[in-house]
């Protein structure tokens, strides 16, 4: 006996990282929004690692913040330790990573949802979804309440058809002992969505007092702490340390002896696991010559004794987990509080989606996060923001927001999913972007804050600070090019001490900064007229000066890419009728149905020769 429970502009199914960003964006843009979660205590939960950011993921968090999203702010508020990764490499791959208090993060996010105008947070399992003849979506809960919505965003994470595996034991379940979403998958298949099974997993949580830290390597945070959010104006402090240990041959032997008991190798798990984050037993089998594997011991929070063992996920039986953990240095007497497990779940084939993350065959229906075949909190939040913004814009009859791969990692993520699809859980990496020198995390605000402002997610105060920073950057770039340092004994001593050649005539500050051995900090004493500016401005300017030539070249590549993006393709093309296209290209183009030539060129199996044929066909069609 269903009953009418009310109407909303936008309904979001799932209150994980994707659902939170989607709901907040929709509500902040003025749409009446409702977000549903199976368990109110799981809002913003971090069921895997207690951290935000990391290689390429830190870029995503900065971009989410630049657009007006929430993940970066909350990560700063719940931060335990912060580190900048890849500092030994170029600035394109520098990535911020923060250990967070996972319960604090969840509490803060839940409270932000509760306080947000235009937004209601409800605990309910969604069991049915259908589209009425009037175009509105009908969303039904297990309590038989039916809500009507103009747009629906599915952000079910790993809950959809979730099944837990620990050795021979398996049962229906969601992450962290939660109930799964047991019925929604059937409803999605009924309306015509193509679903498949993926798998992921998590390490054990262990008792801090049972670890012997005396001989473990300490990993401190970086000082000063760099925040994720451009809104974080107060100085942040590291509040915790992490530790490093290594597995050994004894660990490996326990795994090999019991590998047949792993559901990954016994054939019980059907879902495809993440290629770049394998379980520990998978590492042992895939890299048999590797003598040891690194692991990180990370705190889960300030008010808990649970420690997370990064790099040691497993689905082996509980007693085997105890055995192999206790072979590790410092873990000889370790007590497991929560055993590691694998989780299998349903997700959608993202090739069915457009760049707005809407399903074109089902107007008003959007997907975000692990439901779309990705992995990771940051990838989920980025997609949630895109889906939430576009659902709201559609309801308001406004132009959609489409981010291309030349302007953001978020655009790269979405484009990869909808153009190339994914055969295993998709993880963002810097290598996925051909424009990564331009898409650095230090300039995310410059690239995306104007878009966030235009959409309506950037406040007046934030916009004013952004404009001030851009003005400071432009003035400092000009000053660095115009400032001439005269040759002096002090300057030459400094240059020689840093193994770079001395000067005999005046030299521009920018020319010195371009030298690989030098930077703003080294030249500080010589640069007596330097203004007082935020460190982020100097970082921005230094990178642009040092890599000026490479950046210009990459911007030329971007211009060519956008030229191809501007060559729109008709919505309905029978590619099998285009003479000259190879059979594989015809099939792939027919399946993806790209919106433009640029997107077509990125489809796996479509060659440059095929694109030439397509351009000739377009030119002839235009001339008809």
């Amino acid at each position: 006996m269903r009953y009418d429970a009310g109407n909303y502009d936008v309904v979001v199914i799932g209150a994980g990282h994707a659902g939170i960003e989607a709901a907040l964006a929709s509500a902040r843009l003025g749409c009446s929004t409702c977000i549903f979660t199976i368990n109110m205590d799981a809002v913003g939960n971090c069921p895997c690692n207690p951290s935000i950011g990391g290689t390429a993921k830190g870029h995503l968090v900065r971009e989410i913040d630049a657009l007006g999203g929430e993940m970066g702010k909350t990560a700063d508020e719940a931060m335990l330790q912060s580190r900048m990764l890849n500092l030994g490499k170029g600035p394109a791959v520098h990535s911020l990573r923060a250990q967070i208090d996972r319960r604090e993060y969840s509490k803060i996010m839940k409270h932000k949802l509760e306080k947000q105008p235009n937004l209601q947070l409800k605990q309910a399992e969604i069991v049915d979804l259908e589209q009425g003849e009037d175009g509105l979506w009908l969303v039904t809960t297990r309590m038989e309440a039916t809500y009507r919505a103009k747009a629906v965003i599915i952000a079910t994470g790993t809950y959809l058809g979730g099944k837990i595996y620990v050795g021979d034991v398996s049962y229906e379940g969601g992450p962290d002992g939660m109930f799964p979403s047991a019925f929604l998958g059937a409803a999605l298949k009924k309306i015509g969505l193509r679903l498949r099974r993926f798998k992921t997993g998590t390490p054990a949580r262990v008792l801090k007092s049972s670890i012997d830290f005396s001989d473990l390597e300490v990993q401190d945070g970086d000082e000063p702490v760099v925040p994720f959010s451009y809104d974080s104006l107060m100085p942040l402090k590291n509040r915790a340390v992490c530790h490093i240990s290594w597995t050994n041959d004894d660990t490996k032997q326990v795994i090999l002896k019991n590998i047949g008991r792993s559901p990954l190798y016994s054939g019980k798990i059907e879902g495809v696991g993440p290629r770049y984050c394998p379980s520990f037993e998978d590492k042992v089998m895939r890299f048999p010559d590797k003598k040891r594997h690194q692991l990180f011991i990370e705190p889960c929070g300030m008010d808990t004794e649970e420690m997370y063992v990064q790099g040691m996920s497993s689905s082996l039986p509980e007693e085997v987990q105890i055995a192999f953990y206790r072979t590790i240095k410092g873990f000889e007497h370790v007590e497991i509080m929560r055993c590691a497990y694998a989780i299998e779940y349903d997700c959608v084939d993202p090739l069915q989606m457009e760049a707005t993350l809407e399903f074109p065959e089902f107007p008003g229906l959007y997907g975000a996060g692990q439901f779309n075949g990705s992995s990771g909190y940051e990838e989920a939040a980025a997609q949630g923001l895109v889906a939430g913004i576009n659902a709201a814009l559609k309801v308001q009859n406004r132009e959609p927001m489409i981010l291309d791969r030349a302007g953001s990692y978020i655009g790269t993520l979405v484009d990869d999913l909808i153009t190339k699809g994914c055969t295993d859980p998709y993880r963002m990496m810097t290598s996925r972007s051909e424009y990564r020198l331009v898409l650095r995390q230090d300039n995310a605000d410059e690239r995306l804050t104007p878009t966030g402002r235009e959409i309506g997610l950037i406040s007046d105060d934030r916009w004013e600070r952004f404009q001030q920073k851009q003005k400071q950057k432009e003035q400092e770039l000009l000053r660095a090019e115009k400032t001439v340092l005269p040759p002096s004994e002090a300057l030459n001593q400094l240059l020689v001490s840093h193994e770079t050649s001395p000067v005999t005539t005046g030299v521009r500050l920018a020319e010195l900064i371009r030298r690989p051995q030098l930077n703003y900090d080294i030249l500080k004493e010589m640069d007596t007229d330097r203004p007082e500016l935020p460190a982020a401005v100097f970082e921005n300017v230094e990178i642009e000066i040092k890599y000026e030539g490479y950046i210009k070249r990459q911007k030329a590549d971007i211009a060519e890419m956008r030229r191809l993006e501007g060559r729109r393709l008709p919505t309905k093309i029978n590619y099998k009728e285009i003479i000259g296209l190879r059979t594989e290209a015809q099939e792939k183009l027919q399946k993806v149905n790209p919106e433009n030539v640029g997107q077509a060129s990125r489809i796996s199996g479509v060659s440059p020769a095929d694109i030439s044929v397509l351009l000739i066909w377009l030119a002839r069609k235009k001339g008809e």
Side-chain angles (χ1 to χ4, degrees):
M1 297 291 294
R2 296 185 179 186
Y3 73 94
D4 187 352
N7 300 328
Y8 292 95
D9 290 326
V10 178
V11 158
V12 181
I13 303 173
H17 303 284
I20 286 170
E21 296 291 351
L24 288 174
S26 169
R28 287 169 177 172
L29 290 175
C31 292
S32 61
T33 307
C34 187
I35 181 170
F36 292 95
T37 176
I38 284 180
N39 190 313
M40 199 76 80
D41 296 324
V43 172
N45 187 28
C46 299
C48 193
N49 55 316
S51 69
I52 298 293
T55 302
K57 294 170 180 282
H59 292 66
L60 289 174
V61 181
R62 277 280 178 87
E63 291 182 353
I64 290 165
D65 189 79
L67 283 167
E70 204 62 36
M71 176 173 267
K73 298 184 185 71
T74 307
D76 288 342
E77 292 173 60
M79 190 270 292
L80 296 177
Q81 185 199 76
S82 177
R83 296 179 66 239
M84 189 70 75
L85 306 184
N86 302 323
L87 285 177
K89 301 178 181 179
V93 297
H94 293 175
S95 298
L96 193 60
R97 183 180 189 267
Q99 293 298 134
I100 59 167
D101 187 318
R102 65 190 291 259
R103 291 297 174 215
E104 186 71 10
Y105 184 93
S106 176
K107 183 180 78 172
I108 293 169
M109 277 300 198
K110 178 172 178 283
H111 200 208
K112 287 179 178 180
L113 293 178
E114 292 167 338
K115 294 191 302 179
Q116 178 61 47
N118 300 322
L119 179 60
Q120 284 194 301
L121 171 62
K122 293 182 182 290
Q123 178 170 299
E125 180 186 351
I126 304 302
V127 297
D128 198 14
L129 177 69
E130 56 186 325
Q131 192 168 29
E133 294 182 0
D134 57 0
L136 294 179
W137 286 93
L138 306 178
V139 178
T140 304
T141 73
R142 199 163 187 172
M143 300 302 176
E144 299 187 327
T146 296
Y147 298 84
R148 287 179 171 80
K150 297 174 184 176
V152 172
I153 301 169
I154 305 172
T156 47
T158 61
Y159 284 81
L160 193 63
K163 191 171 185 178
I164 302 295
Y165 290 89
V166 182
D168 299 325
V169 178
S170 63
Y171 54 90
E172 309 299 318
D176 270 351
M178 297 292 175
F179 290 117
S181 175
F183 303 100
L184 181 59
L188 298 179
K189 290 177 183 177
K190 185 178 178 181
I191 67 172
L193 287 182
R194 298 193 306 272
L195 301 183
R196 66 266 186 90
R197 295 288 275 178
F198 274 2
K199 165 261 172 190
T200 189
T202 187
R205 272 61 164 181
V206 300
L207 181 63
K208 182 178 181 179
S209 60
S210 69
I211 303 173
D212 181 0
F213 291 99
S214 58
D215 290 327
L216 298 185
E217 180 183 341
V218 176
Q219 187 179 61
D220 292 309
D222 293 339
E223 295 287 357
V225 173
V226 177
F228 275 116
S229 177
Y230 296 99
D231 271 343
S232 295
L233 304 179
M234 298 296 292
L236 302 176
K237 294 183 178 181
N238 289 302
R239 298 187 285 160
V241 298
C242 298
H243 292 81
I244 298 172
S245 189
W246 298 84
T247 66
N248 51 56
D249 191 62
D250 290 341
T251 322
K252 180 178 179 179
Q253 293 308 315
V254 174
I255 298 297
L256 294 175
K257 183 179 178 180
N258 293 277
I259 196 64
R261 302 182 66 189
S262 167
L264 282 174
Y265 288 87
S266 65
K268 287 190 174 182
I269 292 181
E270 299 175 2
V272 182
R275 181 182 309 176
Y276 300 102
C277 189
S279 66
F280 179 61
E281 55 262 36
D282 212 16
K283 290 180 186 178
V284 170
M285 299 304 290
R286 286 166 58 181
F287 308 104
D289 296 331
K290 198 171 180 66
K291 293 183 178 181
R292 63 177 191 164
H293 296 268
Q294 192 177 44
L295 58 114
F296 299 86
I297 301 100
E298 304 169 343
C300 288
M302 294 299 292
D303 300 319
T304 179
E305 295 301 298
E306 283 188 84
M307 304 294 286
Y308 176 82
V309 191
Q310 170 83 344
M312 294 292 286
S313 66
S314 177
S315 58
L316 283 163
E318 187 174 35
E319 69 271 23
V320 178
Q321 293 184 32
I322 295 171
F324 79 68
Y325 276 116
R326 287 183 176 175
T327 65
I328 298 168
K329 185 177 182 179
F331 279 41
E332 292 85 355
H333 305 288
V334 77
E335 293 293 338
I336 292 180
M337 300 178 73
R338 309 189 202 202
C339 68
Y341 63 85
I343 183 168
E344 198 175 47
Y345 57 96
D346 287 334
C347 57
V348 77
D349 180 353
L351 292 177
Q352 300 167 87
M353 311 173 82
E354 293 182 323
T356 58
L357 295 183
E358 183 180 20
F359 294 94
E361 293 184 20
F362 308 97
L365 184 64
Y366 297 77
Q370 285 181 280
F371 175 72
N372 290 355
S374 64
S375 69
Y377 309 150
E378 302 81 5
E379 290 90 339
Q383 293 170 69
L385 185 61
V386 171
I389 288 172
N390 280 308
L393 295 177
K394 185 181 182 77
V395 166
Q396 296 168 350
N397 294 315
R398 295 170 61 187
E399 287 296 311
M401 179 193 76
I402 297 177
L403 302 176
D404 67 25
R405 61 189 303 117
S408 64
Y409 270 83
I410 298 177
T412 304
L413 162 65
V414 172
D415 186 65
D416 278 352
L417 288 172
I418 67 168
T419 302
K420 300 175 183 177
C422 52
T423 55
D424 55 77
Y426 178 99
R427 177 180 179 176
M428 176 50 69
M429 297 179 289
T430 53
S431 59
R432 294 193 187 273
S433 174
E434 58 271 52
Y435 309 117
R436 53 187 173 273
L437 187 54
V438 172
L439 307 185
R440 306 181 310 275
Q441 65 170 10
D442 68 277
N443 67 358
D445 57 340
E446 182 177 335
R447 292 182 283 109
L448 293 173
T449 295
T451 301
R453 175 68 173 181
E454 183 180 354
I455 291 165
L457 291 177
I458 300 297
S459 67
D460 291 342
D461 179 62
R462 170 84 172 265
W463 181 244
E464 185 177 333
R465 283 188 282 110
F466 167 74
Q467 289 182 306
Q468 181 183 13
K469 181 188 172 188
Q470 291 309 110
K471 186 176 181 181
Q472 290 172 335
K473 175 190 167 184
E474 291 168 9
Q475 291 175 341
E476 179 57 18
L477 274 169
L478 186 61
R479 189 190 74 87
E481 291 292 347
K482 287 188 173 182
T483 298
V484 176
L485 300 181
S488 67
E489 183 178 350
L491 176 59
N492 282 328
Q493 283 180 350
L494 178 71
L495 298 179
V496 171
S497 69
H498 286 87
E499 300 181 348
T500 184
S501 57
V503 296
T504 56
T505 61
V507 59
R508 287 183 296 151
L509 176 62
E511 289 299 324
L512 291 176
I513 292 173
R514 286 189 182 96
R515 296 189 182 189
Q517 303 93 333
L518 304 177
N519 57 39
Y520 256 110
D521 191 49
I522 291 171
L523 295 167
K524 186 174 183 179
E525 291 184 12
M526 299 294 112
D527 186 15
T528 55
D529 295 328
R530 178 176 299 184
E532 290 291 330
L533 295 174
V537 173
F538 286 122
E539 179 188 17
N540 243 190
V541 171
E542 181 175 309
I543 292 171
E544 296 219 358
I545 289 174
K546 278 186 178 295
Y547 296 91
E548 181 183 13
Y550 296 103
I551 290 172
K552 283 182 178 179
R553 190 183 308 166
Q554 204 152 92
K555 286 182 176 179
D557 293 339
I558 288 172
E560 173 60 17
M561 187 278 285
R562 287 190 169 145
R563 185 185 70 82
L564 291 176
E565 295 281 327
R567 302 295 298 272
R568 307 289 296 179
L569 292 168
T571 53
K572 291 183 180 180
I573 301 176
N574 186 349
Y575 287 98
K576 293 181 180 179
E577 294 181 352
I578 299 180
I579 300 171
L581 284 178
R582 294 174 306 109
T583 302
E584 182 185 6
Q586 291 174 342
E587 292 174 353
K588 294 288 181 67
L589 288 164
Q590 203 71 50
K591 183 178 182 180
V592 176
N593 191 27
E595 296 181 8
N596 54 65
V597 176
Q599 185 184 355
S601 69
R602 295 188 293 275
I603 298 173
S604 176
V606 177
S607 70
D610 295 317
I611 294 301
S612 297
V613 171
L614 201 55
L615 287 169
I616 293 169
W617 178 83
L618 265 180
R620 287 175 178 171
K621 190 171 182 64
K622 187 177 180 180
E624 290 178 356

